[in-house]
Amino acid sequence: MTTVTEMGTARRWTMLGLGVFAQSASAVMVNGAAFLLPALTQRGLSLTTAGLLVAMPLVGLCCTLIAWGWVVDQVGERKALVAGPAVMFVAGAAAAGVSNYVALGALLFLAGAGAGSTNGASGRVIVGWFPPDQRGLAMGIRQTAQPLGVAIGAMAIPAVAAAHGFSTAVLVPAVMAGAAAISCLIGIVDPPRPESAGGSGRPANPYRGDSTLLRIHVVSVLLVIPQATIWTFGLLWLHRDVGLSLAAAGALVTATQILGAGGRIGAGVWSDRVGSRLRPLRTVAVAAAICLSAFAVAAWTQQWWAAVPILIAASVITVADNGLAFTAVAEIAGPYWSGRGLGIQNTGQNLAAAAVAPVFGALITAAGFPVTYLLTALIALAAVPLVPRGSR
């Protein structure tokens, strides 16, 4: 078996690229489904029904993340990275040929279930093949897959739907997933795993007798709420309160996504330099609380000259924790439990993010944007003392 030191640098970075590609394909399938809304409503569906359909991939993802983590732990990363995208391809291709909306919803759910495989598996490949002083950088690059996938979906799916119809547009994420399955089959090698405790028996459960992983999960859930709030309502705030046109607001939000991707990489490099994932994670939580508090004050006083730059800064800061926490979970859980650990991590974050739109939408309606942003600052502040002081 090839060891970490024997694996060539080029091959290691190639596998990182394949992991990013597979994760991007999942993001296109799960998040890009929303870009099918215009095509579905043009077919006569109500917005409520169409919204339910495009939410099915996310439901499928949330239902299977922990199960896929178990597969990664028990069977291996390569098989998960091939099987999941293959399921996405088959389900997506089948969805292109059905006219019954119940069947369409079931197939989109199945495609989302397949997408859940790439989260933990791609993370495990990085932690398994990259040395500790490069993992932060590598995981930061891997964390850019979601905004990259959203950008691909935003550019490709509506254009294909307008030119060739709904059925062809559904094939966009399906074809990408099929290419990812083939690429991972050829290029991914399972990283070596050390012998479990004593060389035999089941490895110890890292959740038992130690609250470190649980605390990281809670911190990540708390910190994803400000992130999701900024992403969900930033465009509306810029248009309704600041007075920007939708085109200008959309361009600004797109720019913040690009900057946020760079921020994830920068946070990863920072963690490599200081030799810790958790110290930077605590600093990010503090910075998020300060930045969001300033944003709430600027929005309350309608100081747009300050509020807009603070929004841009908040968009970068609130996503910087993702790669740090993800890497910490994978390292602390170890090679026999990190798949499930990352599955739990992503499940909690996705569920919290899904609740933001209805809950905070109601709060904005009742109390306004400044109060809502102040609440997100308090939520970020609550995460600070929960960050563990060290990792094992």
Side-chain angles (χ1 to χ4, degrees), residues 347-384:
T347 300
Q349 287 187 303
N350 278 292
L351 291 175
V356 162
V359 174
F360 283 78
L363 181 60
I364 290 170
T365 301
F369 281 104
V371 172
T372 301
Y373 291 138
L374 182 59
L375 177 60
T376 63
L378 294 175
I379 291 172
L381 184 62
V384 175

Side-chain angles (χ1 to χ4, degrees), residues 15 51 74 95 103 105 113 153 217 233 238 267 269 324 370 389:
M15 286 192 283
Q74 300 297 321
H217 295 327
F233 299 108
L238 287 167
V269 173
L324 297 172
R389 285 290 170 185

Side-chain angles (χ1 to χ4, degrees), residues 7 9-27 77-78 80-82 84-85 88 115 117-126 129-130 138 141-146 148 152 176-190:
M7 177 60 67
T9 300
R11 184 65 184 277
R12 184 182 295 126
W13 285 94
T14 298
M15 286 192 283
L16 170 59
L18 292 174
V20 170
F21 181 46
Q23 185 62 31
S24 297
S26 295
E77 297 81 3
R78 179 171 175 264
L81 282 170
V82 173
M88 283 193 283
S117 69
T118 62
N119 289 51
S122 61
R124 261 292 308 151
V125 167
I126 290 170
W129 282 123
F130 280 81
I141 294 172
R142 181 259 181 207
Q143 291 297 104
T144 66
Q146 183 182 20
L148 179 62
I152 293 171
M176 188 172 176
I182 295 171
S183 299
C184 291
L185 177 65
I186 296 171
I188 294 293
V189 178
D190 284 345

Side-chain angles (χ1 to χ4, degrees), residues 105-293:
L107 288 168
L108 290 175
F109 174 91
L110 183 60
S117 69
T118 62
N119 289 51
S122 61
R124 261 292 308 151
V125 167
I126 290 170
V127 173
W129 282 123
F130 280 81
D133 61 348
Q134 294 181 1
R135 285 178 192 157
L137 169 61
M139 195 69 82
I141 294 172
R142 181 259 181 207
Q143 291 297 104
T144 66
Q146 183 182 20
L148 179 62
V150 173
I152 293 171
M155 288 187 295
I157 292 176
V160 172
H164 304 288
F166 171 82
S167 296
T168 306
V170 174
L171 290 175
V172 171
V175 170
M176 188 172 176
I182 295 171
S183 299
C184 291
L185 177 65
I186 296 171
I188 294 293
V189 178
D190 284 345
R193 303 189 188 194
E195 291 292 331
S196 58
S200 63
R202 296 179 61 184
N205 183 342
Y207 289 91
R208 190 168 296 159
D210 193 318
S211 64
T212 301
L213 285 172
L214 182 59
R215 289 175 65 177
I216 295 174
H217 295 327
V218 174
V219 167
S220 296
V221 168
L222 291 174
L223 292 180
V224 85
I225 294 173
Q227 172 189 319
T229 303
I230 294 291
W231 280 13
T232 304
F233 299 108
L235 178 68
L236 179 63
W237 175 78
L238 287 167
H239 177 61
R240 197 179 79 178
D241 283 26
V242 180
L244 295 182
S245 67
L246 283 174
L252 183 58
V253 170
T254 301
T256 63
Q257 293 285 319
I258 296 171
L259 292 172
R264 296 179 190 213
I265 296 174
V269 173
W270 176 22
S271 73
D272 288 338
R273 296 284 176 85
V274 301
S276 171
R277 317 300 173 197
L278 299 180
R279 292 204 326 257
L281 180 61
R282 184 180 299 106
T283 303
V284 167
V286 172
I290 294 172
C291 188
L292 289 163
S293 298

Side-chain angles (χ1 to χ4, degrees), residues 263-344:
R264 296 179 190 213
I265 296 174
V269 173
W270 176 22
S271 73
D272 288 338
R273 296 284 176 85
V274 301
S276 171
R277 317 300 173 197
L278 299 180
R279 292 204 326 257
L281 180 61
R282 184 180 299 106
T283 303
V284 167
V286 172
I290 294 172
C291 188
L292 289 163
S293 298
F295 185 35
V297 172
W300 182 274
T301 57
Q302 299 186 358
Q303 300 296 317
W304 309 134
W305 62 271
V308 173
I310 295 173
L311 171 66
I312 296 172
S315 299
V316 177
I317 293 171
T318 56
V319 301
D321 65 284
N322 289 351
L324 297 172
F326 206 76
T327 309
V329 168
E331 291 177 332
I332 295 169
Y336 294 94
W337 274 87
S338 56
R340 280 163 284 187
L342 294 174
I344 295 170

